[in-house]
Amino acid sequence: MRRRLTVTGSSGAVENIDGPSESARHLTEPAVETLPSAPRDHKYQAAVRCAVTEYSGVSKKGHAPYNPRKKNQDSLIMADDPKTNSLVLCVLDGHGEHGDGVSQAFRDQLVPAMFKHPAWGTDLKHAVADAIAKVERALLRNYRIDSEFSGTTLSMAIIRGNHLTGVNIGDSRVILGKEETPGNFTAQDITFDHKPDSPAEKERILGCGGRVFAVEYDDGIDGPPRVWLGHMDIPGLAMSRSLGDVVAHSGGVISEPEFTEYDLNPATDRFLVVATDGLWEFVENQETVDMVEAQSGPTDAVDVLVTEAATRWMQEEQVIDDTTIIVANLFNYNAT
């Protein structure tokens, strides 16, 4: 069972990103969460020449009975760049009192910063790292968003042709659904969660004077390992990398993205799932792949995953975390 120092969420409308299925829709400007009036039965068809043929995403506000005015702190990016045949699929999971402002700042500013970077077409990792750092510096200077105890994760899949680059900061995640033999689907991690008790992450935190330990609750159950300052029991961040989180960064948390690269195989690689831990907390990678594989397309798959995640949150904790999910089918898998 997951235990939180602060639990956020409130029942609310789904915020969708979907596009017309009848004709390709070009997203030359960064795509952001659209109004809830967007049609739910539509999906995007990729407007660039890459391995992704269609995709759909949704960001749904969570539920907590004690916080009826709670905002959705997750954000979602779906954008393409025809000049480089690149598709960007990204989720952000904000946390803290101003987590929604942090995630939205990256939602609105990151893609323009990447696309305008002089190395975007030739050195993707350099361009992405620079763009992330640039947006974070602007965030820290923004007096309207207090990021001392607020921040966001970032998990991103960048597909350029048949090449996939995973970008990760925190504990959101990108996975790949593979069909190694007919009808046999397996999950492969593309990004890896940044947990405070991971050996390399913990070593860095301790070296910076921070501490890593879990809070033991009254019933004797430990929560997740968290990052604390060396001299004070703050901030209690349950991840070792994040964007924002000024106080946590003084205790060894960093915002450096971790990159992974993968050449997509038309013979075996079927779909990508990019999601915040509203999904991953109670739904395993293989379960996710099995549910996506059973659906007729990415829009149905997203709906099923959001519903299943919410059901499991209520069963386990009587609250629901904000949940953001993108499903992208590859190489005409299940094309209609």
Side-chain angles (χ1 to χ4, degrees):
M1 178 179 293
R2 177 173 186 158
R3 304 300 183 98
R4 297 184 167 219
L5 296 182
T6 56
V7 181
T8 57
S10 174
S11 60
V14 172
E15 295 170 300
N16 299 314
I17 288 188
D18 290 305
S21 58
E22 294 80 16
S23 61
R25 177 173 177 178
H26 292 265
L27 301 177
T28 54
E29 295 298 323
V32 299
E33 291 159 303
T34 61
L35 295 175
S37 59
R40 276 299 296 120
D41 57 345
H42 286 172
K43 56 184 176 293
Y44 282 138
Q45 291 181 332
V48 295
R49 294 181 179 179
C50 71
V52 174
T53 47
E54 59 181 12
Y55 54 97
S56 183
V58 67
S59 186
K60 185 172 182 179
K61 186 164 61 176
H63 167 76
Y66 49 79
N67 189 6
R69 294 187 295 177
K70 189 266 175 194
K71 299 176 181 179
N72 185 359
Q73 294 189 302
D74 282 8
S75 291
L76 173 64
I77 300 171
M78 301 166 75
D80 63 35
D81 177 30
K83 293 180 180 179
T84 58
N85 281 322
S86 302
L87 178 65
V88 176
L89 306 174
C90 177
V91 298
L92 302 126
D93 183 355
H95 52 261
E97 184 178 357
H98 302 282
D100 56 317
V102 178
S103 72
Q104 289 166 14
F106 279 89
R107 179 197 67 187
D108 296 340
Q109 299 172 36
L110 181 58
V111 167
M114 291 193 306
F115 287 4
K116 293 176 182 177
H117 194 283
W120 170 245
T122 57
D123 189 346
L124 187 148
K125 291 192 290 185
H126 175 61
V128 172
D130 273 4
I132 289 172
K134 177 182 178 180
V135 176
E136 185 178 40
R137 287 194 299 269
L139 168 75
L140 299 181
R141 293 193 300 266
N142 187 345
Y143 69 90
R144 294 184 178 88
I145 303 174
D146 184 351
S147 56
E148 275 201 315
F149 293 96
S150 298
T152 186
T153 70
L154 179 150
S155 285
M156 180 161 52
I158 304 174
I159 305 93
R160 181 172 290 177
N162 287 4
H163 189 75
L164 168 64
T165 301
V167 187
N168 194 51
I169 301 169
D171 60 359
S172 296
R173 192 181 307 162
V174 181
I175 68 167
L176 171 66
K178 300 173 66 71
E179 188 178 15
E180 300 282 6
T181 58
N184 181 27
F185 285 78
T186 58
Q188 177 175 330
D189 286 296
I190 298 300
T191 62
F192 301 91
D193 298 358
H194 293 131
K195 299 295 189 181
D197 58 342
S198 299
E201 300 291 296
K202 184 175 182 179
E203 180 180 4
R204 184 192 66 246
I205 292 165
L206 297 178
C208 292
R211 296 174 294 157
V212 175
F213 64 88
V215 174
E216 182 176 328
Y217 294 88
D218 292 339
D219 56 8
I221 297 177
D222 287 344
R226 298 178 182 274
V227 179
W228 311 86
L229 300 186
H231 61 293
M232 296 180 67
D233 287 344
I234 57 172
L237 189 65
M239 65 195 74
S240 57
R241 301 192 190 194
S242 71
L243 295 160
D245 285 308
V246 173
V247 171
H249 280 228
S250 68
V253 172
I254 61 173
S255 54
E256 180 181 344
E258 182 178 15
F259 292 93
T260 52
E261 296 192 79
Y262 182 84
D263 288 321
L264 294 164
N265 183 353
T268 59
D269 299 340
R270 300 296 183 241
F271 51 82
L272 296 168
V273 181
V274 187
T276 60
D277 73 345
L279 174 66
W280 306 122
E281 185 61 35
F282 296 118
V283 183
E284 299 293 333
N285 289 1
Q286 186 59 47
E287 292 180 288
T288 297
V289 166
D290 291 342
M291 283 186 272
V292 172
E293 180 271 327
Q295 309 310 312
S296 61
T299 301
D300 290 342
V302 167
D303 286 345
V304 167
L305 292 175
V306 168
T307 300
E308 183 64 23
T311 299
R312 297 195 188 188
W313 272 95
M314 287 300 293
Q315 290 173 344
E316 295 289 337
E317 297 204 359
Q318 300 301 306
V319 298
I320 303 172
D321 195 11
D322 301 332
T323 303
T324 300
I325 302 172
I326 302 168
V327 174
N329 284 0
L330 306 171
F331 303 114
N332 289 305
Y333 173 68
N334 272 352
T336 56

